[in-house]
Amino acid sequence: MAAIMDNLPFIEGIDQTISILKDAGITTMIVATANQLFAEAVMKKCNFDFAYGTQFEVNENGTIDKGICV
């Protein structure tokens, strides 16, 4: 996932913005409709405090079922 993150465009200055918010005592988070693993990768890359994304149920046969945002 980290290799994918390196090739994606991000908002210019996002790192500085997150740093300023954190210095001001503001808790930061990324909330995405994408998979939780993707949200966590963005959290790590941009230094957010928390990440929330979609988690999918996996059926006994290994297929993916409905998703829930956590």
Side-chain angles (χ1 to χ4, degrees), residues 6-67:
D6 290 340
N7 293 315
L8 292 177
F10 280 82
I11 296 171
E12 188 175 323
I14 189 68
D15 295 337
Q16 294 88 349
T17 301
I18 297 300
S19 179
I20 291 167
L21 291 170
K22 291 174 110 177
D23 288 347
I26 296 171
T27 301
T28 61
M29 66 182 74
I30 178 73
V31 179
T33 57
N35 183 275
Q36 179 67 23
L37 294 174
F38 180 81
E40 289 173 2
V42 172
M43 175 188 74
K44 290 175 185 171
K45 179 175 178 67
C46 298
N47 202 28
F48 286 96
D49 294 309
F50 297 98
Y52 298 94
T54 302
Q55 292 186 354
F56 296 95
E57 294 180 14
V58 179
N59 296 318
E60 289 180 17
N61 63 5
T63 59
I64 295 174
D65 204 345
K66 63 185 175 210

